[in-house]
């Protein structure tokens, strides 16, 4: 049985050997996410949007809003790492953020619009950096130093991970 929490597998934090092709693939995952999310939720009813992707998991609506929250933070983290020497970033309580009214009941279109604009900026930022820029690091208080190679791979994975929460639920429930 597949672990519904990790439909694309867990992110390999131990990996440190990212190639230019890996970075380009991750950027493409990030670039394509807003439209893929839009396609995944197109035509879903409020009842469907409020269905958890797994028992005791977030609803589809919460997943969409979480991705927006997370990727706003990622954009800021990338910019900090590109403009400061190993900045310490601020983690946030994503599970608590998902419980706020905007995460539980706001229309998903609001976060989809945010992701359209945000990802246009984030992808432009990533595509216009030199390969050496991805060697820059930030300090995550819980994970330690992370370079931008790994951060790019992480957010590419994060894009595929949460998209798969939605698409695998739709597949399991026979939603077209």
């Amino acid at each position: 049985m597949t672990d519904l929490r990790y439909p694309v597998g867990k992110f390999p934090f131990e990996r440190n050997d990212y190639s230019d092709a890996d970075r380009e693939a991750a950027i493409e995952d990030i670039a394509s996410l807003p439209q893929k999310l839009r396609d995944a939720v197109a035509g879903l009813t409020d009842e469907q949007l409020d269905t958890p992707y797994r028992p005791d998991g977030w609803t589809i609506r919460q997943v969409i809003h979480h991705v927006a929250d997370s990727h706003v933070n990622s954009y800021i983290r990338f910019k900090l790492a590109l403009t400061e020497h190993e900045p310490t970033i601020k983690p946030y309580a994503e599970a608590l953020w998902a419980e706020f009214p905007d995460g539980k009941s706001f229309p998903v279109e609001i976060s989809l619009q945010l992701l359209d604009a945000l990802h246009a900026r984030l992808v432009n930022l990533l595509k216009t950096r030199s390969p050496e820029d991805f060697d820059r690091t930030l300090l995550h208080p819980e994970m330690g130093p992370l370079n931008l190679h790994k951060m790019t791979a992480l957010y590419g994975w994060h894009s595929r991970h949460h998209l798969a929460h939605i698409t695998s639920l739709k597949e399991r429930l026979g939603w077209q």
Side-chain angles (χ1 to χ4, degrees):
M1 180 177 153
T2 302
D3 185 342
L4 298 178
R5 293 173 301 167
Y6 300 101
V8 299
K10 290 184 179 183
F11 180 74
F13 277 102
E14 67 284 351
R15 183 175 173 198
N16 291 308
D17 61 334
Y18 296 102
S19 67
D20 291 346
D22 292 329
R23 183 176 59 254
E24 290 168 16
I27 293 170
E28 180 51 38
D29 287 335
I30 294 165
S32 66
L33 180 65
Q35 187 58 53
K36 287 181 176 180
L37 284 175
R38 231 176 240 298
D39 294 345
V41 301
L44 294 183
T45 65
D46 280 334
E47 182 180 358
Q48 290 170 319
L49 290 170
D50 293 329
T51 301
Y53 74 88
R54 67 175 174 88
D56 299 318
W58 288 338
T59 66
I60 292 173
R61 185 183 310 275
Q62 286 174 298
V63 168
I64 296 287
H65 293 311
H66 160 73
V67 170
D69 290 341
S70 175
H71 290 209
V72 163
N73 276 287
S74 79
Y75 179 72
I76 292 167
R77 291 170 177 179
F78 277 104
K79 284 208 131 171
L80 286 170
L82 289 164
T83 59
E84 298 178 16
H85 176 73
E86 199 170 274
T88 300
I89 61 162
K90 174 113 176 60
Y92 66 102
E94 57 189 43
L96 295 176
W97 285 34
E99 293 300 318
F100 278 105
D102 65 325
K104 292 186 85 167
S105 61
F106 228 47
V108 296
E109 182 59 27
I110 301 298
S111 283
L112 292 171
Q113 289 175 13
L114 174 59
L115 286 166
D116 286 339
L118 177 65
H119 278 228
R121 300 234 6 227
L122 177 57
V123 169
N124 178 265
L125 176 71
L126 296 173
K127 284 185 173 182
T128 59
R129 306 310 339 147
S130 70
E132 296 77 30
D133 283 338
F134 289 87
D135 293 331
R136 296 183 65 93
T137 59
L138 54 80
L139 181 61
H140 191 292
E142 297 161 359
M143 293 186 262
L146 300 171
N147 67 33
L148 296 188
H149 294 287
K150 185 169 284 194
M151 289 292 293
T152 305
L154 175 61
Y155 283 98
W157 170 86
H158 192 257
S159 297
R160 292 181 289 106
H161 168 72
H162 284 304
L163 177 64
H165 283 150
I166 298 167
T167 58
S168 64
L169 173 66
K170 288 176 62 177
E171 186 176 314
R172 287 193 315 275
L173 296 181
W175 297 346
Q176 301 302 330

